């Protein structure tokens, strides 16, 4: 089968690799119908995150089950399934807590030794704990929206949940990437009344408005903080979603948070020297987040995606086939694409 | 009247100063019956925290109301009152939220221009919002315990609340200072089942055990983390109370927290370069805390102190009179005293 492999910084190839197959009785194999490229994949592409030459990549995919191990009972050959960005056994104490992203036997697609989603097929370990079945008769036009459950929508939702968003909330979303936009959508779904998105890329802030943003702050740094405070009666937003992961984004998030408020953090940290504890302390801030337990959230969000109550699919603005996946990365790297859909 | 003033690093004096008096109609004057020395006072004493020569000091006190302004209605001359470590108007949006430590017209005793508690009397601004009346017939033997409501007990309680402590919780308390010990007491009061205190000072850990600690970890750094994880089934405590404020304490707190857990942070930050965001992220940690809204907590904790259900008074192990306050500082500075009571 064909699979995307990482050869070096900026060097992704689609190689012939051994076919994915069941090796443990708890495995399943999923033929990928749709995958996509994540902002964190770019850190590998740019050579910032470590990788082993030949390592697979891609942690968001949905597809059809084509093989199951003898102990798999929750999915069967022919089922349409969506995979969270990590596998999880569903049995450990963290899975029991609904924190499958900390599963003691969990792992992330594309990590060393595992299959990646940007491929024709994926071997799925602990399939019963990992995969979520979709309705057999699902409208295929919904697949891009359903694919966002893998990571970007569930991660945006995690940010909103961790920031304590609820009915009537005032929310500031730092970042107009796909996660930030899904954070807007998730905040609106949770009942937020005021959603301020910080971003200056017009196509993206336009999507943010469609997703429910009430205000757009194109300023940056201290000016952005000043603007958010101005929009919120002087003190900032009670809930802030940090969807970038850089030092600058964190300073903006902290400054935009109302004293006593909460920052939901989901941006994978990079280039952050250290969080300024003193600023958190004097403003009595809570920060909460990390790697979203996508597996816990998928069943919660799925009905609303299926019904069309929320439609995150506009985050995809470019589709490439597997053979042209490298073009997709280039487009995301130069910000000409927001998020790239990959169809094998 | 006499009041403690800061002259320089290590140089505290008890000076004659103008008598405290009502200057605003919302003021009251409290004759101090009992004050104490806080760990954060030591940062001033050591010259680490900034101060203006002649500045007052001491933010924990209780006493008797001796004068009230024309607009004061909640306390009267002769009332026995306890003061939280900050004044607050009780009317602003933060006070309404129960976050009086963020009051828009609040401030801290001993800050520039204000009176300090280590004195014969204190002018209390916004007295109605600030002071909490004690029963007139209160047993005077309870005063030391009641004084802890000013800061150390309410701050320990804040750590426990922010760390999500509740019935059955497993808690690790980083720090065997007076706040850490009160954190133990607060955690027990909230129903924690397992309370691990990290400390090696035997008199202090002995108090911790009296306060409800089930385990003492004398190790430090990575060894302490290892020990806490060992005591908690391998993953750490779901609730961690950070009651020190240094980089080393934070690394221990983060390492001792179970993935998905929460760190309640109340140690005033010093010598912290920056919190390691990556470690928080991969362990899905929440940190929550800051400056305790003591004013909100006093009415909640007061009944249990009055009834003797909790007795935090063992944190005081040295009493000095006002003229000998400098000796109290020296004893706390060299750790021969845990916490010093000051009686004018």
């Amino acid at each position: 089968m064909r699979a995307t492999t990482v050869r070096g910084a900026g060097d992704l190839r689609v190689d012939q690799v051994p076919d994915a197959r069941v090796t443990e009785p708890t495995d399943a194999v999923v033929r990928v119908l749709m995958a996509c490229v994540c902002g964190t994949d770019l850190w590998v592409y740019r050579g910032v995150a470590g990788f082993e030459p030949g390592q697979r990549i891609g942690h968001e995919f949905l597809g059809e089950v084509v093989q199951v191990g003898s102990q798999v009972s929750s999915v069967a050959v022919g089922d349409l399934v969506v995979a969270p960005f990590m596998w999880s056994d569903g049995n450990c104490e963290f899975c029991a807590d609904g924190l499958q992203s900390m599963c003691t036997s969990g792992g992330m697609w594309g990590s060393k030794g595992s299959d990646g989603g940007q491929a024709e097929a994926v071997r799925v370990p602990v399939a019963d704990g990992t995969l979520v079945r979709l309705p057999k008769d699902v409208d295929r036009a919904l697949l891009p929206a359903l694919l966002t459950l893998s990571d970007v929508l569930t991660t945006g939702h995690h940010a909103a949940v961790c920031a304590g968003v609820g009915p009537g909330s005032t929310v500031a979303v730092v970042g107009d990437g796909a996660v930030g936009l899904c954070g807007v959508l998730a905040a609106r779904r949770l009942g937020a009344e005021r959603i301020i998105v910080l971003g200056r890329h017009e196509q993206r802030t336009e999507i943010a408005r469609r997703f429910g943003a009430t205000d757009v702050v194109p300023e940056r740094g201290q000016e952005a903080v000043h603007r958010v405070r101005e929009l919120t009666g002087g003190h900032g937003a009670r809930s802030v979603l940090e969807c970038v992961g850089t030092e600058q984004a964190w300073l903006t998030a902290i400054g935009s948070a109302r004293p006593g408020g909460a920052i939901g953090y989901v941006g994978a940290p990079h280039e952050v020297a250290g969080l300024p504890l003193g600023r958190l302390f004097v403003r009595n801030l809570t920060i909460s987040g990390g790697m979203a337990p996508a597996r816990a959230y998928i069943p919660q969000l799925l009905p609303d995606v299926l019904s069309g109550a929320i439609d995150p699919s506009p985050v995809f603005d470019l589709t490439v086939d597997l053979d042209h996946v490298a073009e997709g990365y280039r487009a995301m790297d130069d910000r000409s694409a927001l998020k790239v859909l990959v169809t094998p």
Side-chain angles (χ1 to χ4, degrees), chain A:
Chain A
M1 68 176 200
R2 289 170 305 140
T4 308
T5 61
V6 189
R7 293 291 158 174
D11 184 7
L12 292 178
R13 301 190 197 168
V14 178
D15 287 328
Q16 278 294 333
V17 300
D19 279 354
R21 62 187 183 82
V22 164
T23 57
E24 300 288 332
T26 49
D27 288 352
V29 172
V30 172
R31 182 172 64 84
V32 176
L33 288 174
M34 219 169 250
C36 53
V37 181
C38 180
T40 57
D41 291 336
L42 291 180
W43 296 105
V44 176
Y45 179 75
R46 289 170 184 160
V48 177
F51 59 86
E52 194 135 304
Q55 200 171 313
R56 309 287 176 84
I57 193 164
H59 52 260
E60 299 157 287
F61 64 95
L62 59 69
E64 187 187 336
V65 176
V66 292
Q67 196 186 356
V68 291
S70 58
Q71 287 172 27
V72 172
S73 62
S74 69
V75 294
V77 170
D79 281 348
L80 203 61
V81 291
V82 61
F85 65 90
M86 296 179 78
W87 66 86
S88 51
D89 61 21
N91 297 317
C92 78
E93 54 186 300
F94 295 105
C95 286
D97 277 357
L99 193 63
Q100 288 89 339
S101 47
M102 294 290 115
C103 174
T104 52
S105 50
M108 193 160 169
W109 314 110
S111 61
K112 205 179 136 187
S114 80
D115 286 348
Q118 294 157 16
E120 284 187 293
V122 174
R123 180 181 81 86
V124 175
V126 286
D128 278 343
T130 304
L131 297 171
V132 179
R133 203 163 47 181
L134 299 172
K136 278 213 194 300
D137 58 350
V138 68
D139 179 355
R140 295 287 164 132
L142 283 176
L143 293 188
L146 292 164
L147 175 61
T148 66
L149 290 164
S150 265
D151 183 348
V152 64
L153 177 59
T154 42
T155 292
H157 178 69
H158 190 49
V161 168
C162 289
V165 175
S169 288
T170 293
V171 183
V173 179
V174 179
D176 60 1
V179 170
L181 298 178
C182 284
V184 170
L185 192 63
R188 192 196 57 179
R189 178 181 169 278
L190 290 167
E193 206 161 80
R194 188 86 183 266
I195 305 173
I196 303 162
V197 68
L198 284 77
R200 56 169 67 193
H201 189 297
E202 282 187 15
Q203 285 99 311
R204 298 177 184 197
T205 56
E206 182 46 43
I207 297 174
R209 288 205 184 267
R210 285 164 62 189
F211 281 5
T214 53
D215 302 88
V216 172
V217 170
E219 289 88 350
R220 286 195 177 167
Q222 267 313 109
E223 284 177 28
V225 166
H226 180 74
R227 187 78 189 112
V228 172
R229 291 192 187 178
E230 214 172 51
L231 287 168
T232 53
H235 297 299
R238 209 180 279 266
S239 298
V240 176
L241 280 49
E242 200 300 296
C243 304
V244 180
T246 60
E247 182 103 10
Q248 180 57 55
W250 266 96
L251 294 178
T252 303
I254 291 169
S256 299
R258 187 179 194 275
I263 298 172
Y265 70 98
V266 295
H270 45 268
E271 303 163 3
V272 180
L275 296 185
L277 177 62
R279 294 194 199 192
L280 298 173
F281 187 86
V282 297
R283 295 173 71 82
N284 269 65
L285 296 181
T286 294
I287 76 168
S288 182
M291 295 167 74
R295 181 59 182 80
Y297 293 139
I298 293 174
Q300 297 170 27
L301 298 172
L302 181 58
D304 283 358
V305 177
L306 287 172
S307 73
I310 54 170
D311 176 17
S313 68
V315 297
F316 295 114
D317 58 351
L318 178 64
T319 300
V320 297
D321 61 26
L322 185 57
D323 288 330
H324 296 89
V325 69
E327 287 172 25
Y329 275 78
R330 273 194 294 277
M332 276 179 67
D333 190 38
D334 67 18
R335 283 175 68 92
S336 63
L338 170 54
K339 192 168 177 74
V340 172
L341 205 61
V342 182
T343 52

